[in-house]
Amino acid sequence: GKAASTPAKAYAKVGIEREYSTSTPCFANDKPKHYGKKEGAPCRNVRVPEEYGFKPGMLPGFENVAREHGLKTYKDVYRFSLEHNDLFWESCAKMLNWKEPFHTVQDCDLKKGKVGWFLGGKLNVSENCLDRHVAEDPNKIALLWEKDEPGTVQISYGQLLEWTCKMANTLKQARVQKGDCVCVYLPTSPMAVASMLACARIGAIHTVVFAGFSSESLRDRIQNCKAKVVITANEMIRGGKSIPLKQLVDDAVKDCPTVKTVFVEQRTKKEGRYAKHDVALTDALDAASAECAPEVLDSEDPLFVLYTSGSTGKPKGVLHTQAGYLLYAALTQKVVFNLKPGEVFGCLADIGWITGHSYVVYAPLANGITTVLFESTPNYPSPSRYWSTVERLKINHLYISPTALRSLLRHGKSHVKNHDLSSLRTLGLVGEPVNHEAWEWYYDVIGQRRCPVVDTWWQTETGGISIAPLPGDSADPIYPGMAMRPFFGIEPVVKNSEAFADHGSDQAGVLYVARPWPGMLRGIYGDEERFVETYLSEKPGCYTTGDGCVETADGYFKITGRVDDVINVSGHRLGTAEVENAIDSHGKVAESAVVSFPHLVKGEGLAAFVVLTDDYEADEHLVKDLKGLIKHSIASYAIPEEIVIVPHLPKTRSGKIMRRLLKLIAQNKNEDFGDTSTLQDPDILKPIIDAWSKTT
Ligand code: WTA
């Protein structure tokens, strides 16, 4: 509950669990392992390349304002964006096509959870992503679908518009109306994009569920958003392995009375069973008209709900709306990546995550460029997959996770060498802190020191990139492993245990954002109170990020990782409470505590400490059963590296589990326990340490 996220606990964690020196922009404990750099070698920084150096003309619609106010540098414009916040966003909003202009730029009161942008304005997101580009050139390539088996399918803007309209009409046929939820459970594919845009076209709300989630996770999400329709495929192939999507949907919708229709795409030849509410998607699309007038929607009509993990057991449905979200996603992509017309954007994330929503689908299409849909994995069929894809698709901007990078650099340069990567201009990173070694490998080996590395910090809740190395002036440096500079209109503040740290004081604390921005979440779907309680109450008027942070004397921000019970496994966000709930549902388990520890590839790994009920002894099946349970109720990536049976958990006198101590045990740092005086009984640590040492 609430106690777990009190600031005091959060700050204690920053100090104790994330030790690093702020005098150097590198992780102090980040010792290069594979890449052959000497331990403790100083970090190199790189300059912002000339062509990326910030010019006000990079902001659409802003040139005149900049001229009038004499704004030239990043710092000028950044300051202006805070001081004249309305004027700034008003001029940037010119990059969207409006059906009706807005009369009010913003109407927000974060203390009350009120967030409203571009009020009175009317538009259609799918029209912004499709029709306006089709009007210019219907043959322009919108999607490059890199399928699991290496090979690419090209889809033009004209074709995508046609599919979107057919899908929109199909949804209407299924009685989906404005404001209804549609669940999309599909691999990263053109049909998934058309489904999302079809919802946007008719004002339905989409909920994309990552197709690696279990049927139970799917069921919970469908139940929470009361979806009327599910769009899925017979199966999905990822990394050469089949995932029986339709079967998982069947299991899920048994308990979802709101679902009236399930559309099934025939992704492979494999036939499946059809139930009464199932409709073959191709038949429905064949019968549908290819024309569908875009619904005229209000700026603040809901666009989508995306479920994400928090500190509590149940994932929450983060709600984003039309205009603010689209503008923020499109603008950040344009500026941070220095986007040019005709470019190919290779964000290789799955569409089931926010990175996929914002930078595979909405931003690239709003900006009218070509976006890559990557259906496979970094290692399939070999660790050169990314690089052969870059070469074949002539990707200009690559946007991947540090985990993928770490898993590839272990295989060495030989997988990179034979590929022509000269199309690359920008190297993006997202999702978790990047270690120094991986950053350097990306810069040296992949970018050949030509391409700036942009380590972008943001969240499902922020809608788009919030802190990133670019924009920056060409005289400014980029430091490895630092998110660096706030995007325009974003006002980050760092708060330590007492108060807000002075800007640039180099103090560790928790990151807040002190004012609203167009891309921020509008709420938690179906739970208004939880919105304020979760995000806006710790420091009223400020948005709580849940991340630790340092602001250096130069005004650069370094993100140090979560300070709450959210963890980042392979760049996937997960709540320890979710995993504990799954483990605790086993009949033999009395209680459990899940903590994370640093993992060379995944960033963070999971360790579960499990206490059995009195009558049971552990047998060889138990750990296997527990793993199965977790896979079944969440997803495979949530399975801990280690599951240890212990006689008890360390608790305070008031009965709280001391996760801090378990975290240290999981890192074999038994000397660092520090003050254990609040422990019920200091001797109880020994059997836990013993049990752990047997596993590693
Ligand atoms: C983490 C992903 C360090 C952070 C877009 C955040 C990062 C969480 C970075 C959100 C980064 C994301 N450096 N940490 N560049 N980017 N994170 O909602 O802990 O899946 O709170 O959104 O990922 O994860 P989410």
Side-chain angles (χ1 to χ4, degrees):
K2 202 75 193 65
S5 60
T6 57
K9 186 180 170 200
Y11 304 127
K13 280 190 166 186
V14 173
I16 292 162
E17 284 158 17
R18 303 271 174 186
E19 286 164 359
Y20 51 87
S21 134
T22 57
S23 55
T24 131
C26 304
F27 289 160
N29 58 358
D30 173 21
K31 294 168 191 150
K33 284 247 159 48
H34 307 285
Y35 184 41
K37 275 250 156 65
K38 268 213 202 93
E39 219 172 272
C43 289
R44 173 161 43 88
N45 59 35
V46 301
R47 290 213 171 273
V48 173
E50 196 59 50
E51 62 170 319
Y52 287 82
F54 177 75
K55 292 160 212 82
M58 287 177 181
L59 293 164
F62 194 74
E63 242 155 325
N64 289 340
V65 181
R67 201 172 310 121
E68 230 170 83
H69 292 82
L71 311 172
K72 290 197 180 69
T73 64
Y74 159 79
K75 280 201 178 111
D76 293 345
V77 175
Y78 176 69
R79 197 175 311 122
F80 183 88
S81 75
L82 298 188
E83 283 168 6
H84 304 272
N85 199 240
D86 277 10
L87 183 54
F88 177 80
W89 287 116
E90 184 185 339
S91 37
C92 290
K94 291 188 182 118
M95 81 187 283
L96 298 184
N97 274 17
W98 297 87
K99 294 262 193 201
E100 263 175 52
F102 48 88
H103 53 66
T104 303
V105 177
Q106 61 181 305
D107 181 19
C108 305
D109 181 352
L110 289 190
K111 289 196 178 104
K112 296 192 179 123
K114 182 163 87 173
V115 186
W117 284 88
F118 309 116
L119 302 181
K122 291 187 191 297
L123 79 173
N124 184 281
V125 166
S126 80
E127 194 180 32
N128 272 277
C129 291
L130 298 170
D131 305 60
R132 60 171 170 165
H133 310 311
V134 173
E136 272 180 20
D137 177 7
N139 297 321
K140 184 151 77 167
I141 299 302
L143 312 177
L144 292 173
W145 182 24
E146 175 69 13
K147 297 170 84 164
D148 192 54
E149 278 311 314
T152 311
V153 177
Q154 298 192 353
I155 285 120
S156 69
Y157 272 93
Q159 277 170 310
L160 184 58
L161 175 60
E162 192 182 316
W163 288 7
T164 299
C165 288
K166 278 174 168 276
M167 184 69 93
N169 287 324
T170 302
L171 291 175
K172 279 187 186 169
Q173 279 275 312
R175 293 168 195 264
V176 174
Q177 290 171 350
K178 183 179 162 186
D180 286 342
C181 270
V182 171
C183 173
V184 179
Y185 189 60
L186 283 171
T188 299
S189 57
M191 205 48 83
V193 177
S195 302
M196 293 163 80
L197 294 174
C199 290
R201 197 148 190 100
I202 64 174
I205 306 167
H206 63 70
T207 295
V208 181
V209 176
F210 171 57
F213 274 127
S214 68
S215 62
E216 280 183 29
S217 298
L218 177 64
R219 178 199 64 198
D220 290 350
R221 285 157 173 78
I222 294 174
Q223 284 179 347
N224 186 272
C225 73
K226 304 188 175 64
K228 267 192 180 171
V229 163
V230 179
I231 307 175
T232 191
N234 63 329
E235 64 174 339
M236 138 176 172
I237 312 289
R238 194 151 186 263
K241 291 192 201 109
S242 156
I243 300 166
L245 292 185
K246 172 60 172 37
Q247 209 175 305
L248 292 165
V249 170
D250 287 346
D251 287 347
V253 300
K254 274 197 297 233
D255 303 318
C256 301
T258 58
V259 174
K260 301 291 181 238
T261 314
V262 175
F263 289 105
V264 187
E265 191 202 359
Q266 205 63 32
R267 172 71 182 77
T268 62
K269 294 217 169 73
K270 195 168 167 185
E271 305 245 343
R273 278 183 303 131
Y274 271 63
K276 237 197 356 237
H277 58 218
D278 294 339
V279 175
L281 189 56
T282 31
D283 294 351
L285 293 179
D286 282 349
S289 155
E291 264 163 53
C292 175
E295 194 79 21
V296 179
L297 298 170
D298 288 337
S299 294
E300 285 297 343
D301 279 334
L303 177 63
F304 66 84
V305 173
L306 183 60
Y307 288 85
T308 192
S309 298
S311 316
T312 54
K314 286 238 176 221
K316 37 194 183 200
V318 169
L319 173 69
H320 283 287
T321 55
Q322 310 275 329
Y325 168 79
L326 187 66
L327 172 65
Y328 194 74
L331 184 72
T332 49
Q333 184 193 36
K334 198 168 168 48
V335 173
V336 172
F337 289 89
N338 184 227
L339 218 59
K340 300 200 167 119
E343 286 193 320
V344 177
F345 197 80
C347 171
L348 306 189
D350 193 282
I351 47 137
W353 312 114
I354 190 68
T355 309
H357 280 59
S358 297
Y359 298 107
V360 175
V361 181
Y362 285 111
L365 297 179
N367 282 318
I369 56 155
T370 300
T371 184
V372 175
L373 305 179
F374 185 74
E375 196 186 35
S376 193
T377 70
N379 290 292
Y380 182 78
S382 83
S384 61
R385 179 61 184 268
Y386 272 8
W387 322 125
S388 70
T389 305
V390 167
E391 179 175 13
R392 271 187 292 113
L393 274 51
K394 301 201 168 42
I395 290 174
N396 301 116
H397 309 278
L398 189 64
Y399 198 25
I400 58 177
S401 70
T403 290
L405 203 55
R406 284 189 293 264
S407 79
L408 296 176
L409 80 81
R410 305 186 102 185
H411 295 283
K413 290 184 206 175
S414 62
H415 290 278
V416 185
K417 221 170 40 198
N418 298 323
H419 295 285
D420 176 7
L421 304 182
S422 59
S423 60
L424 287 174
R425 284 185 56 224
T426 320
L427 303 173
L429 289 171
V430 57
E432 51 182 322
V434 62
N435 51 317
H436 181 208
E437 182 196 14
W439 194 102
E440 295 259 339
W441 195 75
Y442 206 20
Y443 183 67
D444 284 351
V445 178
I446 305 307
Q448 298 290 312
R449 303 181 174 217
R450 287 186 302 111
C451 309
V453 172
V454 291
D455 173 13
T456 64
W457 175 87
W458 59 294
Q459 307 176 303
T460 305
E461 294 88 342
T462 70
I465 295 167
S466 309
I467 305 183
L470 295 169
D473 300 314
S474 53
D476 288 342
I478 296 178
Y479 291 118
M482 257 183 129
M484 307 288 300
R485 302 175 181 85
F487 193 74
F488 302 113
I490 300 292
E491 189 182 355
V493 284
V494 179
K495 193 168 176 275
N496 62 30
S497 47
E498 270 91 54
F500 284 114
D502 289 336
H503 281 299
S505 61
D506 239 3
Q507 283 177 49
V510 174
L511 177 65
Y512 293 80
V513 183
R515 63 168 71 220
W517 66 101
M520 80 180 288
L521 79 164
R522 299 302 194 262
I524 296 177
Y525 196 65
D527 196 347
E528 261 170 56
E529 271 166 38
R530 205 167 152 208
F531 175 43
V532 175
E533 187 189 301
T534 310
Y535 296 107
L536 304 167
S537 63
E538 241 171 60
K539 173 65 197 151
C542 290
Y543 166 79
T544 310
T545 67
D547 276 304
C549 180
V550 173
E551 183 186 349
T552 69
D554 304 320
Y556 300 141
F557 291 84
K558 173 162 188 62
I559 310 296
T560 54
R562 300 289 303 200
V563 293
D564 53 14
D565 294 322
V566 174
I567 41 188
N568 234 305
V569 181
S570 305
H572 298 332
R573 192 166 149 178
L574 193 64
T576 48
E578 282 173 75
V579 185
E580 287 163 8
N581 286 349
I583 294 174
D584 295 351
S585 70
H586 191 288
K588 293 183 183 176
V589 172
E591 60 176 342
S592 64
V594 171
V595 296
S596 69
F597 58 88
H599 187 283
L600 258 183
V601 174
K602 297 178 174 186
E604 285 182 281
L606 292 181
F609 295 86
V610 179
V611 180
L612 301 182
T613 49
D614 286 345
D615 335 348
Y616 290 108
E617 293 267 316
D619 57 40
E620 76 260 37
H621 299 301
L622 184 72
V623 167
K624 222 173 119 204
D625 289 351
L626 291 175
K627 287 183 176 173
L629 253 180
I630 295 162
K631 181 177 171 181
H632 196 72
S633 62
I634 310 173
S636 301
Y637 74 81
I639 297 173
E641 324 293 318
E642 299 289 353
I643 297 182
V644 208
I645 311 297
V646 291
H648 43 239
L649 299 172
K651 291 189 180 168
T652 63
R653 280 168 231 274
S654 58
K656 283 212 188 71
I657 298 169
M658 292 185 76
R659 283 160 205 283
R660 179 178 76 81
L661 300 178
L662 292 174
K663 265 190 115 154
L664 290 168
I665 292 173
Q667 293 177 62
N668 303 315
K669 286 187 177 164
N670 303 346
E671 306 81 43
D672 299 351
F673 287 148
D675 182 12
T676 53
S677 59
T678 51
L679 256 187
Q680 255 165 357
D681 171 5
D683 294 335
I684 71 162
L685 289 176
K686 189 162 180 319
I688 303 174
I689 296 168
D690 288 349
W692 176 259
S693 63
K694 276 182 205 131
T695 66
T696 36

PDB file of all heavy atoms in Angstrom, residues 137-144 153-157 159 343 365 368-371:
ATOM      1  N   ASP A 137       1.490  11.639 -51.468  1.00  0.00           N
ATOM      2  CA  ASP A 137       2.042  10.539 -52.255  1.00  0.00           C
ATOM      3  C   ASP A 137       1.591   9.198 -51.664  1.00  0.00           C
ATOM      4  O   ASP A 137       2.181   8.708 -50.698  1.00  0.00           O
ATOM      5  CB  ASP A 137       3.587  10.619 -52.240  1.00  0.00           C
ATOM      6  CG  ASP A 137       4.224   9.453 -52.983  1.00  0.00           C
ATOM      7  OD1 ASP A 137       3.474   8.664 -53.616  1.00  0.00           O
ATOM      8  OD2 ASP A 137       5.455   9.312 -52.911  1.00  0.00           O
ATOM      9  N   PRO A 138       0.576   8.579 -52.272  1.00  0.00           N
ATOM     10  CA  PRO A 138       0.046   7.324 -51.705  1.00  0.00           C
ATOM     11  C   PRO A 138       1.054   6.176 -51.764  1.00  0.00           C
ATOM     12  O   PRO A 138       0.915   5.192 -51.042  1.00  0.00           O
ATOM     13  CB  PRO A 138      -1.180   7.021 -52.582  1.00  0.00           C
ATOM     14  CG  PRO A 138      -1.003   7.818 -53.820  1.00  0.00           C
ATOM     15  CD  PRO A 138      -0.179   9.013 -53.460  1.00  0.00           C
ATOM     16  N   ASN A 139       2.074   6.300 -52.627  1.00  0.00           N
ATOM     17  CA  ASN A 139       3.028   5.198 -52.765  1.00  0.00           C
ATOM     18  C   ASN A 139       4.206   5.270 -51.801  1.00  0.00           C
ATOM     19  O   ASN A 139       5.053   4.380 -51.762  1.00  0.00           O
ATOM     20  CB  ASN A 139       3.561   5.141 -54.200  1.00  0.00           C
ATOM     21  CG  ASN A 139       2.440   4.857 -55.174  1.00  0.00           C
ATOM     22  OD1 ASN A 139       1.550   4.058 -54.875  1.00  0.00           O
ATOM     23  ND2 ASN A 139       2.443   5.543 -56.305  1.00  0.00           N
ATOM     24  N   LYS A 140       4.255   6.341 -51.051  1.00  0.00           N
ATOM     25  CA  LYS A 140       5.332   6.447 -50.056  1.00  0.00           C
ATOM     26  C   LYS A 140       5.236   5.260 -49.090  1.00  0.00           C
ATOM     27  O   LYS A 140       4.146   4.876 -48.664  1.00  0.00           O
ATOM     28  CB  LYS A 140       5.170   7.772 -49.310  1.00  0.00           C
ATOM     29  CG  LYS A 140       6.280   8.049 -48.322  1.00  0.00           C
ATOM     30  CD  LYS A 140       6.509   9.530 -48.126  1.00  0.00           C
ATOM     31  CE  LYS A 140       5.454  10.161 -47.230  1.00  0.00           C
ATOM     32  NZ  LYS A 140       5.809  11.498 -46.773  1.00  0.00           N
ATOM     33  N   ILE A 141       6.390   4.700 -48.738  1.00  0.00           N
ATOM     34  CA  ILE A 141       6.380   3.516 -47.873  1.00  0.00           C
ATOM     35  C   ILE A 141       6.137   3.927 -46.416  1.00  0.00           C
ATOM     36  O   ILE A 141       6.872   4.741 -45.853  1.00  0.00           O
ATOM     37  CB  ILE A 141       7.703   2.730 -47.982  1.00  0.00           C
ATOM     38  CG1 ILE A 141       7.924   2.250 -49.420  1.00  0.00           C
ATOM     39  CG2 ILE A 141       7.702   1.520 -47.034  1.00  0.00           C
ATOM     40  CD1 ILE A 141       6.817   1.367 -49.971  1.00  0.00           C
ATOM     41  N   ALA A 142       5.111   3.346 -45.831  1.00  0.00           N
ATOM     42  CA  ALA A 142       4.803   3.612 -44.424  1.00  0.00           C
ATOM     43  C   ALA A 142       5.480   2.586 -43.523  1.00  0.00           C
ATOM     44  O   ALA A 142       6.127   2.934 -42.544  1.00  0.00           O
ATOM     45  CB  ALA A 142       3.289   3.584 -44.204  1.00  0.00           C
ATOM     46  N   LEU A 143       5.307   1.304 -43.874  1.00  0.00           N
ATOM     47  CA  LEU A 143       5.786   0.232 -42.993  1.00  0.00           C
ATOM     48  C   LEU A 143       6.773  -0.671 -43.712  1.00  0.00           C
ATOM     49  O   LEU A 143       6.558  -1.037 -44.868  1.00  0.00           O
ATOM     50  CB  LEU A 143       4.612  -0.640 -42.524  1.00  0.00           C
ATOM     51  CG  LEU A 143       3.365   0.049 -41.974  1.00  0.00           C
ATOM     52  CD1 LEU A 143       2.297  -1.001 -41.648  1.00  0.00           C
ATOM     53  CD2 LEU A 143       3.701   0.863 -40.725  1.00  0.00           C
ATOM     54  N   LEU A 144       7.830  -1.028 -43.016  1.00  0.00           N
ATOM     55  CA  LEU A 144       8.708  -2.100 -43.465  1.00  0.00           C
ATOM     56  C   LEU A 144       8.573  -3.198 -42.424  1.00  0.00           C
ATOM     57  O   LEU A 144       9.063  -3.068 -41.302  1.00  0.00           O
ATOM     58  CB  LEU A 144      10.162  -1.622 -43.551  1.00  0.00           C
ATOM     59  CG  LEU A 144      10.480  -0.595 -44.643  1.00  0.00           C
ATOM     60  CD1 LEU A 144      11.920  -0.095 -44.495  1.00  0.00           C
ATOM     61  CD2 LEU A 144      10.264  -1.192 -46.030  1.00  0.00           C
ATOM     62  N   VAL A 153       8.350  -7.077 -45.827  1.00  0.00           N
ATOM     63  CA  VAL A 153       7.173  -6.728 -46.607  1.00  0.00           C
ATOM     64  C   VAL A 153       7.020  -5.211 -46.544  1.00  0.00           C
ATOM     65  O   VAL A 153       7.112  -4.623 -45.464  1.00  0.00           O
ATOM     66  CB  VAL A 153       5.918  -7.404 -46.011  1.00  0.00           C
ATOM     67  CG1 VAL A 153       4.671  -6.988 -46.778  1.00  0.00           C
ATOM     68  CG2 VAL A 153       6.079  -8.916 -45.994  1.00  0.00           C
ATOM     69  N   GLN A 154       6.815  -4.577 -47.709  1.00  0.00           N
ATOM     70  CA  GLN A 154       6.644  -3.121 -47.731  1.00  0.00           C
ATOM     71  C   GLN A 154       5.177  -2.761 -47.828  1.00  0.00           C
ATOM     72  O   GLN A 154       4.450  -3.339 -48.637  1.00  0.00           O
ATOM     73  CB  GLN A 154       7.335  -2.531 -48.960  1.00  0.00           C
ATOM     74  CG  GLN A 154       8.822  -2.759 -48.997  1.00  0.00           C
ATOM     75  CD  GLN A 154       9.468  -1.906 -50.076  1.00  0.00           C
ATOM     76  OE1 GLN A 154       8.783  -1.255 -50.868  1.00  0.00           O
ATOM     77  NE2 GLN A 154      10.787  -1.907 -50.103  1.00  0.00           N
ATOM     78  N   ILE A 155       4.754  -1.801 -47.066  1.00  0.00           N
ATOM     79  CA  ILE A 155       3.361  -1.343 -47.146  1.00  0.00           C
ATOM     80  C   ILE A 155       3.349   0.173 -47.303  1.00  0.00           C
ATOM     81  O   ILE A 155       3.952   0.894 -46.508  1.00  0.00           O
ATOM     82  CB  ILE A 155       2.565  -1.789 -45.907  1.00  0.00           C
ATOM     83  CG1 ILE A 155       2.279  -3.290 -46.033  1.00  0.00           C
ATOM     84  CG2 ILE A 155       1.226  -1.070 -45.798  1.00  0.00           C
ATOM     85  CD1 ILE A 155       2.807  -4.095 -44.971  1.00  0.00           C
ATOM     86  N   SER A 156       2.655   0.635 -48.341  1.00  0.00           N
ATOM     87  CA  SER A 156       2.636   2.069 -48.611  1.00  0.00           C
ATOM     88  C   SER A 156       1.600   2.763 -47.726  1.00  0.00           C
ATOM     89  O   SER A 156       0.721   2.114 -47.147  1.00  0.00           O
ATOM     90  CB  SER A 156       2.293   2.321 -50.078  1.00  0.00           C
ATOM     91  OG  SER A 156       0.944   1.959 -50.297  1.00  0.00           O
ATOM     92  N   TYR A 157       1.695   4.087 -47.672  1.00  0.00           N
ATOM     93  CA  TYR A 157       0.696   4.854 -46.927  1.00  0.00           C
ATOM     94  C   TYR A 157      -0.703   4.613 -47.493  1.00  0.00           C
ATOM     95  O   TYR A 157      -1.677   4.513 -46.753  1.00  0.00           O
ATOM     96  CB  TYR A 157       1.059   6.344 -46.934  1.00  0.00           C
ATOM     97  CG  TYR A 157       1.976   6.712 -45.776  1.00  0.00           C
ATOM     98  CD1 TYR A 157       3.357   6.708 -45.913  1.00  0.00           C
ATOM     99  CD2 TYR A 157       1.438   7.033 -44.530  1.00  0.00           C
ATOM    100  CE1 TYR A 157       4.183   7.023 -44.852  1.00  0.00           C
ATOM    101  CE2 TYR A 157       2.261   7.354 -43.461  1.00  0.00           C
ATOM    102  CZ  TYR A 157       3.631   7.350 -43.620  1.00  0.00           C
ATOM    103  OH  TYR A 157       4.445   7.653 -42.558  1.00  0.00           O
ATOM    104  N   GLN A 159      -1.865   1.888 -49.014  1.00  0.00           N
ATOM    105  CA  GLN A 159      -2.348   0.576 -48.576  1.00  0.00           C
ATOM    106  C   GLN A 159      -2.746   0.579 -47.104  1.00  0.00           C
ATOM    107  O   GLN A 159      -3.769   0.012 -46.722  1.00  0.00           O
ATOM    108  CB  GLN A 159      -1.245  -0.477 -48.767  1.00  0.00           C
ATOM    109  CG  GLN A 159      -1.161  -1.035 -50.161  1.00  0.00           C
ATOM    110  CD  GLN A 159       0.108  -1.862 -50.298  1.00  0.00           C
ATOM    111  OE1 GLN A 159       1.204  -1.400 -49.954  1.00  0.00           O
ATOM    112  NE2 GLN A 159      -0.039  -3.080 -50.785  1.00  0.00           N
ATOM    113  N   GLU A 343      13.161   9.436 -44.304  1.00  0.00           N
ATOM    114  CA  GLU A 343      14.046   8.546 -43.557  1.00  0.00           C
ATOM    115  C   GLU A 343      13.337   7.284 -43.066  1.00  0.00           C
ATOM    116  O   GLU A 343      12.116   7.217 -42.999  1.00  0.00           O
ATOM    117  CB  GLU A 343      14.650   9.311 -42.379  1.00  0.00           C
ATOM    118  CG  GLU A 343      15.728  10.281 -42.865  1.00  0.00           C
ATOM    119  CD  GLU A 343      16.578  10.833 -41.744  1.00  0.00           C
ATOM    120  OE1 GLU A 343      16.032  11.152 -40.667  1.00  0.00           O
ATOM    121  OE2 GLU A 343      17.796  10.947 -41.953  1.00  0.00           O
ATOM    122  N   LEU A 365       4.496   7.767 -38.128  1.00  0.00           N
ATOM    123  CA  LEU A 365       3.431   7.949 -39.103  1.00  0.00           C
ATOM    124  C   LEU A 365       2.932   9.398 -39.091  1.00  0.00           C
ATOM    125  O   LEU A 365       2.645   9.964 -40.142  1.00  0.00           O
ATOM    126  CB  LEU A 365       2.295   6.953 -38.861  1.00  0.00           C
ATOM    127  CG  LEU A 365       2.696   5.472 -39.034  1.00  0.00           C
ATOM    128  CD1 LEU A 365       1.506   4.559 -38.762  1.00  0.00           C
ATOM    129  CD2 LEU A 365       3.269   5.191 -40.423  1.00  0.00           C
ATOM    130  N   GLY A 368       5.232  11.210 -41.093  1.00  0.00           N
ATOM    131  CA  GLY A 368       5.209  10.841 -42.506  1.00  0.00           C
ATOM    132  C   GLY A 368       6.465  10.155 -43.011  1.00  0.00           C
ATOM    133  O   GLY A 368       6.792  10.235 -44.191  1.00  0.00           O
ATOM    134  N   ILE A 369       7.184   9.464 -42.123  1.00  0.00           N
ATOM    135  CA  ILE A 369       8.384   8.762 -42.586  1.00  0.00           C
ATOM    136  C   ILE A 369       8.094   7.257 -42.659  1.00  0.00           C
ATOM    137  O   ILE A 369       6.952   6.834 -42.536  1.00  0.00           O
ATOM    138  CB  ILE A 369       9.589   9.047 -41.666  1.00  0.00           C
ATOM    139  CG1 ILE A 369       9.244   8.686 -40.232  1.00  0.00           C
ATOM    140  CG2 ILE A 369      10.017  10.492 -41.796  1.00  0.00           C
ATOM    141  CD1 ILE A 369      10.416   8.363 -39.388  1.00  0.00           C
ATOM    142  N   THR A 370       9.145   6.465 -42.855  1.00  0.00           N
ATOM    143  CA  THR A 370       8.981   5.018 -42.962  1.00  0.00           C
ATOM    144  C   THR A 370       9.382   4.370 -41.650  1.00  0.00           C
ATOM    145  O   THR A 370      10.455   4.647 -41.118  1.00  0.00           O
ATOM    146  CB  THR A 370       9.867   4.477 -44.108  1.00  0.00           C
ATOM    147  OG1 THR A 370       9.459   5.109 -45.318  1.00  0.00           O
ATOM    148  CG2 THR A 370       9.738   2.976 -44.242  1.00  0.00           C
ATOM    149  N   THR A 371       8.508   3.510 -41.125  1.00  0.00           N
ATOM    150  CA  THR A 371       8.799   2.906 -39.824  1.00  0.00           C
ATOM    151  C   THR A 371       8.957   1.395 -39.963  1.00  0.00           C
ATOM    152  O   THR A 371       8.306   0.769 -40.802  1.00  0.00           O
ATOM    153  CB  THR A 371       7.709   3.277 -38.792  1.00  0.00           C
ATOM    154  OG1 THR A 371       8.075   2.756 -37.514  1.00  0.00           O
ATOM    155  CG2 THR A 371       6.347   2.710 -39.162  1.00  0.00           C
TER     156      THR A 371
END
